[in-house]
Amino acid sequence: MMVHIMTVNGPINANKLGITLMHEHIYMDASREVGGRNGLLNDPELMYQELMLYKEAGGVSIVDQTTGGLRGGTKEGASRDLMSEKHCIAVKNIAKKTGLNIILGAGWYRDLYYPEYLHRTKTNEIADGIIKDIEVGIDGTDIKAGIIGEIGSHTTWISPVEERVFRAVARAHKQTNLSIATHTAGMTVGLDQLDLLEEEGVDLRRVTIGHCHSYNNHEYHLEIARRGAYVQFDRMGETSQFESETWLNLVIKFINAGLINQLLISQDVCVRENLTGYGGKGYAYIITKLKTKLKELGVSEDQFNQIMIDNPKRALTGE
């Protein structure tokens, strides 16, 4: 049976996914936390140039996990919806222009970025909205989501409204069969996220715990894997040499533990300083320079392709 993955320009055969970055952002508004222009990715020509560096290096697909709250717009109602609609159309346009497969995420980011009305919305109503993003189109467009995520929580706890969102995500997943990707920010909150999703009946093999690099604890990563979920190290293009080496060592330990099948790596480009035009490493870093470093540490070509091609395909489809 042919398995498809939904991109912003329609479904593609999963075998056409190719080299894939599983957690990135193309257009995004992080200005609630990041000051100045650094927190705003909104320049179409600049993003085109950055994405073409990835494509020219051999990249084929990108999972853009820019969920509700990150697409811009802070007001209620039509103003917020219009910003989200413009965001989705811009992603679709740049996918056409670059020829990349871009998969867009459904759902809500985390509490700090939620619109006020979400605090007054019932779990099943939140789920219905996510399902609509998947089956009809995101915020009034015909652009359908191909993954649920990134879905986040606080650093060490899940707030009440975040819990409702996680439960809604689980219910949307069960109706649509789309995979789930989460956001964490340190400590063991990823296990709490798995608890919630499992309680709602989610097969944890369809879940990716994001930002696992943010907690430098190999046992934590092993526990996520034991429960069946994917472990994702997705700031591998970080500029700090100490952080890069620390996270690279975690990746190698995870591979050496025999868990390469549950490993995903990405770069999480989310601010301007991550772009090559602003001195960062850009979208192509993993498949160019990091690939060389991994090879020096004993990661074979076949293993690299498993991490960048085979694992993303399974993570997205469950096949």
Side-chain angles (χ1 to χ4, degrees):
M1 182 179 69
M2 188 178 296
V3 179
H4 289 91
I5 293 169
M6 182 59 67
T7 77
V8 294
N9 286 307
I12 61 167
N13 186 323
N15 292 326
K16 301 293 186 181
L17 197 65
I19 289 176
T20 303
L21 296 174
M22 281 292 291
H23 186 127
E24 301 298 333
H25 302 277
I26 298 171
Y27 300 114
M28 176 172 156
D29 183 357
S31 57
R32 297 190 192 192
E33 293 182 282
V34 182
R37 297 174 69 237
N38 190 33
L40 194 60
L41 299 179
N42 65 346
D43 184 333
E45 185 56 36
L46 173 62
M47 300 316 295
Y48 171 75
Q49 294 170 6
E50 296 284 335
L51 289 171
M52 287 305 295
L53 293 175
Y54 171 64
K55 183 179 182 181
E56 289 163 2
V60 180
S61 301
I62 287 180
V63 179
D64 182 344
Q65 294 195 31
T66 310
T67 42
L70 290 173
R71 298 184 191 127
T74 58
K75 296 181 179 179
E76 298 290 326
S79 173
R80 180 191 57 78
D81 291 343
L82 181 60
M83 290 297 293
S84 183
E85 179 182 349
K86 288 181 177 179
H87 174 275
C88 295
I89 293 170
V91 174
K92 181 174 183 175
N93 289 341
I94 205 166
K96 287 182 177 179
K97 189 173 181 180
T98 60
L100 291 167
N101 302 317
I102 300 179
I103 296 101
L104 196 55
W108 295 96
Y109 178 42
R110 57 188 176 89
D111 200 336
L112 177 64
Y113 288 79
Y114 291 167
E116 180 59 32
Y117 77 82
L118 208 61
H119 293 256
R120 307 187 299 271
T121 306
K122 295 179 180 178
T123 303
N124 283 340
E125 292 174 355
I126 299 172
D128 289 344
I130 296 171
I131 292 165
K132 185 176 180 181
D133 287 348
I134 296 165
E135 296 183 344
V136 179
I138 301 171
D139 285 336
T141 72
D142 62 355
I143 301 164
K144 299 177 182 179
I147 192 172
I148 306 173
E150 63 183 301
I151 309 299
S153 62
H154 286 74
T155 301
T156 56
W157 77 96
I158 300 173
S159 74
V161 66
E162 287 171 343
E163 177 180 344
R164 290 205 307 280
V165 169
F166 266 92
R167 293 190 184 280
V169 160
R171 296 172 196 184
H173 155 78
K174 289 169 69 178
Q175 180 161 325
T176 65
N177 198 38
L178 279 197
S179 296
I180 299 167
T182 80
H183 162 99
T184 65
M187 304 306 290
T188 60
V189 73
L191 299 178
D192 299 325
Q193 294 174 352
L194 290 178
D195 288 343
L196 272 177
L197 295 172
E198 190 170 40
E199 189 176 310
E200 288 283 336
V202 173
D203 180 349
L204 299 186
R205 293 175 296 180
R206 300 298 303 279
V207 178
T208 296
I209 299 297
H211 308 324
C212 285
H213 64 277
S214 64
Y215 188 40
N216 182 10
N217 187 310
H218 181 57
E219 289 301 317
Y220 168 60
H221 305 146
L222 292 180
E223 181 59 24
I224 293 170
R226 289 188 195 106
R227 297 186 63 176
Y230 287 88
V231 171
Q232 185 168 269
F233 299 95
D234 44 40
R235 288 290 289 171
M236 299 308 295
E238 189 58 63
T239 53
S240 163
Q241 183 175 353
F242 171 76
E243 288 177 325
S244 295
E245 290 178 356
T246 299
W247 299 340
L248 189 57
N249 288 335
L250 288 171
V251 168
I252 297 301
K253 287 178 73 172
F254 195 76
I255 293 173
N256 290 342
L259 295 168
I260 192 171
N261 287 344
Q262 290 169 261
L263 172 64
L264 298 168
I265 60 175
S266 203
Q267 290 150 179
D268 188 22
V269 169
C270 57
V271 290
R272 293 194 180 208
E273 66 184 21
N274 296 149
L275 303 172
T276 62
Y278 284 79
K281 295 180 179 178
Y283 297 100
Y285 174 71
I286 286 176
I287 61 174
T288 54
K289 294 181 180 179
L290 188 68
K291 181 179 181 181
T292 300
K293 291 183 179 180
L294 288 168
K295 183 177 181 181
E296 291 170 352
L297 292 169
V299 177
S300 69
E301 183 80 15
D302 286 345
Q303 287 178 311
F304 184 79
N305 287 336
Q306 180 175 350
I307 297 166
M308 299 305 299
I309 300 174
D310 300 338
N311 290 358
K313 176 185 172 183
R314 283 189 293 103
L316 286 167
T317 65
E319 299 292 329

